[in-house]
Amino acid sequence: MALFARAQSYVSSIVSSTKTDSALPWGALALLWLVGLYMRLPILIMPPLAGEIAESLSLGSAAIGALTTVPYVVLALSMMLAVRFARRVGMLQALTLALAIVALGSAARGLTLSAPVLFTASVVMGLGLAVMQVTVPALLRDWTPSHLGLGSAIYLNGMTVGELIGAGGTRPVVLALAGDSWQWALLLWSLPALVIVALLAMRLRQSSRHRKVAAASETVPSRSMSLRSSRVWLMGVPLAASIGIFMATNAYLSTVLDARGEAGLLTLALLFYNASPLAASLVMLWRGRRWITRRRPLGIFAALGVLGLVGFLGMEGWPALIALVISGFGITLELTLIMALPPCLERGEAVASLTAGMSFVGYSLAFVMPMLGGWLAEAYSNPNLALWPMLLFAGLSLFAVYRMPLSASPNDEPASVS
């Protein structure tokens, strides 16, 4: 009888799991992945086209580098403005308009031979990306209310894949299809985004039919976050560590390897390091739902990011490359788990506010630390110093991970976005 009871329990668990899987909102998950694809792809298609753009517009290396950094800077500085815009027009409407702006802004870069117009289009595109950054987490509660962790993992996986195919697929595939024209390559990359805009518009039309019913059935209290909120900083500082380590390592990897006499390892190092986020995002899809809102996995992955970078700076050859990959793997999982928190901790518009606040802190600090490292390396003629400020900052951020809020706090005072 005991054996029969165990067997019955096992079968019941399988049936229950099957029902849960069948209840997954596949359409919403697919749309989240597609939107995530274009949250970074339009930025990272520029470096592979840098040579052609520089030759065509007679731009220097600093200007070419700015084509990649300007959208990130605009994204970081316009977070609060993005929240206000999304609140005014609605989260789904704002996301639809933002992706359309990103697609048109990206395409506009290919319709000009004027450097000022090229940079203006990049700024406009950055504004659209900022709105996307704050609206997608806020929509998770509407689209995947019973699968917040999976929804977060899905759109962040799409973002990671977008980074990889933007950086790795532009030259060998899209530029070839465009007849070696960088203008046509930018236009070709923008066309799929317009298809996603059409899908969002269809979902917007469907959701508008049920909006009055949903508003009557549930009233979500208005709650905002300001930069005075400790929650914003406790989440934003570790986010800055994960973003900053990735940016600084990619920026100074060639300099560090050259100084060691290991320039021949640069290609493999870049390949493995930039492939580690994809591996991490796949692991997140597999196990991430069990890690979200849990401190131990978050702390372990944050520590791996720091220790891996220490290993890279302290070793040479293949051991150093392995440590580098471990660091990239750890910081990607750290970033993913942090970005998945707002829809788990807040509701309604407060999700966008929290996302905006911590992203502003994260991206701003992530820009400052690598710049400080570059100044130290140049001032003391020591390339290794380029990564040390970011490494020390990431080490200190582990204290913020220890104190980071991982559950909703209804007693917190609402604060206005400023």
Side-chain angles (χ1 to χ4, degrees):
M1 292 296 292
L3 182 62
F4 176 76
R6 290 181 183 178
Q8 187 177 24
S9 175
Y10 179 70
V11 172
S12 298
S13 67
I14 293 178
V15 172
S16 176
S17 175
T18 302
K19 289 182 179 179
T20 300
D21 290 342
S22 65
L24 286 174
W26 294 108
L29 292 173
L31 191 52
L32 280 171
W33 189 86
L34 289 172
V35 171
L37 199 69
Y38 269 84
M39 290 178 72
R40 293 294 178 271
L41 187 150
I43 299 177
L44 292 174
I45 62 179
M46 295 305 282
L49 303 174
E52 286 78 4
I53 296 174
E55 182 179 355
S56 179
L57 301 181
S58 301
L59 297 178
S61 57
I64 286 294
L67 288 176
T68 300
T69 58
V70 162
Y72 280 120
V73 173
V74 174
L75 186 153
L77 296 179
S78 59
M79 281 292 179
M80 300 304 178
L81 180 63
V83 172
R84 293 182 178 180
F85 172 75
R87 282 179 169 174
R88 184 178 295 273
V89 304
M91 294 296 163
L92 183 52
Q93 295 95 321
L95 175 61
T96 306
L97 289 171
L99 183 55
I101 290 171
V102 169
L104 296 176
S106 182
R109 296 179 300 177
L111 295 174
T112 180
L113 287 175
S114 166
V117 175
L118 187 68
F119 280 99
T120 301
S122 298
V123 169
V124 171
M125 192 181 70
L127 292 172
L129 290 172
V131 176
M132 293 178 68
Q133 180 93 11
V134 300
T135 52
V136 172
L139 287 169
L140 287 177
R141 278 199 172 273
D142 293 331
W143 291 11
T144 58
S146 302
H147 306 279
L148 292 176
L150 179 61
S152 298
I154 287 288
Y155 94 81
L156 289 165
N157 176 266
M159 190 166 69
T160 302
V161 173
E163 291 174 346
L164 288 174
I165 64 175
T170 297
R171 283 199 76 83
V173 179
V174 179
L175 187 61
L177 290 175
D180 292 331
S181 168
W182 64 269
Q183 292 100 328
W184 279 104
L186 291 173
L187 289 171
L188 287 176
W189 265 130
S190 302
L191 294 179
L194 296 177
V195 176
I196 304 171
V197 170
L199 294 174
L200 287 171
M202 291 173 58
R203 189 172 184 92
L204 177 60
R205 181 179 298 179
Q206 293 172 357
S207 66
S208 64
R209 299 172 186 171
H210 308 286
R211 191 175 302 157
K212 292 182 179 179
V213 176
S217 63
E218 181 181 12
T219 301
V220 179
S222 177
R223 176 181 171 80
S224 304
M225 294 288 153
S226 76
L227 294 180
R228 297 186 297 272
S229 169
S230 61
R231 174 176 291 191
V232 166
W233 287 90
L234 288 173
M235 298 173 69
V237 167
L239 182 65
S242 60
I243 297 171
I245 286 179
F246 192 78
M247 290 176 56
T249 303
N250 270 303
Y252 299 119
L253 188 59
S254 61
T255 305
V256 173
L257 290 177
D258 281 341
R260 292 183 186 173
E262 297 180 330
L265 293 176
L266 178 61
T267 301
L268 284 177
L270 286 171
L271 174 63
F272 291 154
Y273 187 66
N274 287 282
S276 61
L278 179 59
S281 68
L282 294 176
V283 171
M284 187 68 190
L285 287 175
W286 174 45
R287 299 284 294 181
R289 283 172 284 178
R290 301 184 181 184
W291 294 335
I292 293 174
T293 71
R294 295 189 178 182
R295 197 174 307 278
R296 179 175 294 179
L298 180 59
I300 289 173
F301 296 131
L304 281 179
V306 174
L307 294 175
L309 187 55
V310 171
F312 170 71
L313 291 174
M315 297 185 290
E316 297 181 353
W318 279 99
L321 292 190
I322 293 172
L324 188 67
V325 172
I326 291 173
S327 177
F329 185 83
I331 60 173
T332 301
L333 286 172
E334 178 189 12
L335 181 147
T336 306
L337 291 173
I338 295 172
M339 292 301 298
L341 283 175
C344 299
L345 304 183
E346 298 290 350
R347 298 171 61 197
E349 297 173 351
V351 179
S353 296
L354 179 56
T355 303
M358 71 182 201
S359 297
F360 174 80
V361 172
Y363 281 95
S364 300
L365 293 176
F367 279 114
V368 171
M369 292 299 150
M371 290 175 61
L372 177 60
W375 177 81
L376 287 175
E378 185 175 348
Y380 293 94
S381 302
N382 185 348
N384 280 326
L385 289 178
L387 293 175
W388 275 103
M390 195 65 249
L391 179 60
L392 293 174
F393 177 84
L396 292 174
S397 75
L398 296 177
F399 292 100
V401 171
Y402 176 74
R403 298 193 58 196
M404 185 186 299
L406 298 179
S407 60
S409 301
N411 295 326
D412 287 350
E413 290 288 332
S416 60
V417 175
S418 58

